[in-house]
Amino acid sequence: MAQARVRLPPAGPTPATAHFSSSNPRPAHLTFSSKRAPASRYAAAAAANEPPAPIVVVGSANADIYVEVDRLPLAGETVAARAGRSLPGGKGANQAACGGRLALGPTYLVARVGDDANGRLLEGALADAGGVRTDRVARAPDAPSGHAVVMLMPDGQNSIIIVGGANMQGWAAGIGAEDLELIQKAGVLLLQREIPDWVNTQAAQAAKSAGVPVIMDAGGMDAPVPQDLLSLVDIFSPNETELARLTGMPTETFEQISQAAGECHKMGVKEVLVKLGSQGSALFVEGEKPVRQPIIPATEVIDTTGAGDTFTSAFAVALVEGKSKEECMRFAAAAASLCVRVKGAIPSMPDRKSVMKLLESAQVE
């Protein structure tokens, strides 16, 4: 799941020691009163045989330009790629595609794309992914679709350069009233950091006003997280590299990771779900013993792009279905294991039947 990400152009100066910001650069358009979801909400719905509430993803959609290289170029060096092609991606689109394939209920993506060929590529790919409602994906007339250059190494690891485009520039009017109402009816809200923080804050405020839990993937923007956004997040999900950058603390050992998660608790996030690549994952709930989940080994690792998004989205799917946190993590581990066996982000998202089959076989083993 490890990825190195660079955003062009920079969102602003990055401090030498990254930490959580105490302010938001732009106020949200609406203010809502906060209401926390009851812990038994999902279990009660499951017991009553009610269909799961929708999963709503507010986030990015990118056209990923894949180049397969034997190694990354050094400064001033040119290297030849073995192959290259364009595939749909972006953390928001990835998580929505995964939710669409895994969830029993509907999955919505609220996003912005350009009125261009890449935008049409993304709209078509999301429609083809199955299960994703794309009527909340709007075209931004004055900005190109976001895109990314993915440099894929033979071992499946990658480095990514992101150009925000409509993901960053297409939200001038904020989130529309209909989309805010949709968020308030969701079973869970998924956010990432490839769109402006003030848009995430607006979405999170709407969710909290209705008692909808907010899961925020830390991936994307290389900048401090505004405190007013972080305070609205129920589950914060970084990988170990993002956790180190955002807390300014080392994360080389599990003890260090635990201490860094504790720093997030001090910032107001009760639950920290850390993706640890080949070491699996760990959930740190404030005041409780950490829950660890090892990986479910893949038969072959082809491409780790989108594995973290798959994990986060699959966790959310299981959460909406009323599963325990341990069950959520195991379901997510199985989905991520299947994801890395296929090239591309959205094309690699597994379906529910495949995940359940893998879980059954893993239990037998």
Side-chain angles (χ1 to χ4, degrees):
M1 299 181 195
Q3 299 177 359
R5 291 177 177 264
V6 181
R7 178 173 290 279
L8 297 180
T14 301
T17 301
H19 54 80
F20 296 104
S21 171
S22 60
S23 63
N24 200 4
R26 178 172 178 175
H29 289 216
L30 298 175
T31 300
F32 303 88
S33 60
S34 296
K35 180 169 62 177
R36 184 170 294 276
S40 61
R41 173 177 181 172
Y42 311 111
N49 291 321
E50 297 177 0
I55 293 171
V56 177
V57 183
V58 178
S60 60
N62 289 328
D64 290 345
I65 304 169
Y66 272 76
V67 288
E68 299 180 24
V69 295
D70 293 323
R71 61 176 178 81
L72 296 179
L74 301 175
E77 182 185 26
T78 299
V79 298
R82 288 180 279 105
R85 58 176 172 164
S86 293
L87 293 171
K91 296 187 72 63
N94 293 347
Q95 292 180 12
C98 182
R101 290 179 178 173
L102 296 180
L104 295 174
T107 298
Y108 291 83
L109 174 63
V110 179
R112 301 291 183 265
V113 298
D115 188 9
D116 52 27
N118 282 337
R120 290 184 284 277
L121 167 71
L122 290 163
E123 290 168 344
L126 288 166
D128 293 342
V132 182
R133 293 287 301 271
T134 59
D135 51 309
R136 308 306 175 104
V137 178
R139 293 186 181 181
D142 300 323
S145 296
H147 57 280
V149 178
V150 181
M151 292 170 282
L152 181 64
M153 268 69 78
D155 63 355
Q157 300 300 312
N158 57 63
S159 294
I160 303 174
I161 301 172
I162 301 173
V163 182
N167 295 317
M168 299 299 292
Q169 303 166 24
W171 301 90
I175 301 174
E178 290 186 4
D179 292 337
L180 292 172
E181 183 179 352
L182 172 67
I183 290 169
Q184 292 177 315
K185 295 178 179 178
V188 66
L189 171 67
L190 282 170
L191 303 174
Q192 325 80 38
R193 300 197 70 212
E194 291 184 344
I195 62 174
D197 282 328
W198 69 266
V199 177
N200 277 330
T201 300
Q202 187 185 14
Q205 285 178 333
K208 297 299 285 187
S209 73
V212 175
V214 179
I215 299 178
M216 183 172 188
D217 191 303
M221 192 181 301
D222 184 10
V225 181
Q227 180 59 44
D228 53 351
L229 170 57
L230 199 65
S231 66
L232 297 167
V233 173
D234 294 286
I235 302 176
F236 185 60
S237 184
N239 60 32
E240 70 269 37
T241 303
E242 292 158 351
L243 182 63
R245 185 177 71 240
L246 292 168
T247 62
M249 299 174 68
T251 56
E252 296 179 3
T253 67
F254 190 78
E255 177 63 26
Q256 291 173 337
I257 291 168
S258 299
Q259 292 172 356
E263 185 67 19
C264 294
H265 293 154
K266 293 177 184 177
M267 294 292 177
V269 180
K270 184 179 180 182
E271 301 184 36
V272 183
L273 178 62
V274 186
K275 300 177 284 279
L276 300 172
S278 62
Q279 299 304 308
S281 60
L283 177 65
F284 299 89
V285 179
E286 189 173 17
E288 299 181 13
K289 183 179 179 181
V291 178
R292 300 187 69 171
Q293 170 63 51
I295 64 166
I296 297 177
T299 53
E300 183 180 14
V301 177
I302 302 296
D303 182 7
T304 59
T305 307
D309 295 327
T310 299
F311 183 93
T312 304
S313 183
F315 182 95
V317 167
L319 183 69
V320 169
E321 294 174 9
K323 306 297 185 184
S324 69
K325 294 295 173 59
E326 291 82 0
E327 291 173 311
C328 291
M329 294 177 72
R330 187 163 177 80
F331 186 79
S337 175
L338 292 169
C339 170
V340 300
R341 307 178 194 198
V342 180
K343 189 175 297 182
I346 289 179
S348 71
M349 300 299 165
D351 59 42
R352 187 180 184 91
K353 182 178 179 180
S354 299
V355 172
M356 299 307 295
K357 182 178 180 180
L358 177 59
L359 283 172
E360 291 174 1
S361 63
Q363 288 175 347
V364 171
E365 295 172 1

